[in-house]
Amino acid sequence: DVKVTQSSRYLVKRTGEKVFLECVQDMDHENMFWYRQDPGLGLRLIYFSYDVKMKEKGDIPEGYSVSREKKERFSLILESASTNQTSMYLCASRRQGANTEAFFGQGTRLTVV
Amino acid sequence: GNSVTQMEGPVTLSEEAFLTINCTYTATGYPSLFWYVQYPGEGLQLLLKATKADDKGSNKGFEATYRKETTSFHLEKGSVQVSDSAVYFCASLKAAGNKLTFGGGTRVLVKP
């Protein structure tokens, strides 16, 4: 089974802190994604990566950056956390190709105080 | 661009009732369509998918048929259980694309 693992289930950070959310997948998938999930807004794509060191902005990239130094790992960085970044963050990976589904991690609930 | 619209919840029903969650999409070409389910406290899991017109995806008693003429992919289950209580997301992936586009999610609550 594909496994996508996010480093933390729950995080509490202070406003202004630099925050790292880590995600690792074990199935050699080319594509990796970071979404945030908010009530009433569904899932919104922050960034995705289609290869090592490659990244592309999603729908809401402001206030975030990403890093993909190794194929299995995709990090989301909040440069200076703000309270409006309190959310559930979901990482996903997917094999390149038509019709392949994405596999999700269990999510990280981040609270910025 | 692509978009996915699904009915807002919450949907509350009794055990053994019939469930329908509507989903429509806009996309150029022929996207692949997916339903994901999110149980409380967990990430999303793939429930079923369909990759071309008239395909029917099915899993765990759930079904959805890819209707090109109505650009729809409605999810149905004939007899729900309490364990089906979850949030359901419809999603599309455009042909040769990388990014899934999700609907807003529909919370379903099944009462005994």
Side-chain angles (χ1 to χ4, degrees):
Chain A
D1 277 355
V2 173
K3 195 161 187 182
V4 179
T5 303
Q6 295 182 228
S7 52
S8 305
R9 289 296 298 269
Y10 301 95
L11 274 179
V12 180
K13 297 292 182 180
R14 294 193 179 278
T15 301
E17 275 193 78
K18 190 168 186 177
V19 180
F20 293 85
L21 303 184
E22 307 286 351
C23 176
V24 176
Q25 50 96 4
D26 65 358
M27 284 300 290
D28 203 39
H29 285 171
E30 294 84 1
N31 297 339
M32 295 187 75
F33 307 84
W34 276 106
Y35 291 88
R36 64 177 281 177
Q37 181 182 10
D38 300 287
L41 297 176
L43 271 71
R44 293 180 291 168
L45 181 64
I46 304 171
Y47 266 98
F48 77 100
S49 168
Y50 49 91
D51 202 350
V52 175
K53 298 190 186 295
M54 306 305 288
K55 61 185 179 185
E56 203 166 304
K57 292 180 180 179
D59 302 316
I60 52 163
E62 296 78 19
Y64 303 93
S65 62
V66 290
S67 172
R68 191 150 179 222
E69 296 297 317
K70 294 184 178 181
K71 192 174 186 179
E72 67 269 21
R73 186 179 297 271
F74 191 37
S75 304
L76 180 69
I77 304 154
L78 286 66
E79 298 290 345
S80 176
S82 64
T83 55
N84 64 11
Q85 292 179 308
T86 292
S87 187
M88 170 71 87
Y89 290 87
L90 293 168
C91 175
S93 74
R94 178 179 163 265
R95 186 170 305 286
Q96 182 67 31
N99 310 324
T100 59
E101 68 263 31
F103 295 84
F104 282 82
Q106 77 276 29
T108 297
R109 183 163 294 283
L110 172 67
T111 302
V112 182
V113 298
Chain B
N2 292 4
S3 67
V4 176
T5 303
Q6 60 183 105
M7 59 190 289
E8 289 190 27
V11 175
T12 303
L13 17 162
S14 299
E15 214 165 14
E16 299 183 4
F18 184 86
L19 171 68
T20 299
I21 305 176
N22 290 340
C23 170
T24 57
Y25 67 91
T26 60
T28 54
Y30 297 88
S32 295
L33 300 172
F34 305 84
W35 276 101
Y36 281 83
V37 59
Q38 185 180 36
Y39 299 106
E42 298 184 15
L44 275 68
Q45 304 173 24
L46 179 69
L47 181 59
L48 53 84
K49 70 177 184 181
T51 59
K52 60 183 187 295
D54 300 324
D55 263 3
K56 178 185 282 188
S58 61
N59 186 26
K60 299 182 179 180
F62 289 89
E63 292 184 341
T65 301
Y66 189 142
R67 301 284 188 202
K68 182 71 177 171
E69 64 277 12
T70 54
T71 62
S72 65
F73 193 53
H74 304 322
L75 183 69
E76 297 181 336
K77 185 172 185 180
S79 177
V80 294
Q81 306 300 314
V82 172
S83 58
D84 293 324
S85 298
V87 181
Y88 293 82
F89 290 92
C90 185
S92 73
L93 173 70
K94 64 180 182 180
N98 284 322
K99 298 181 287 184
L100 280 166
T101 300
F102 285 88
T106 302
R107 183 175 298 277
V108 172
L109 177 61
V110 181
K111 296 187 173 180

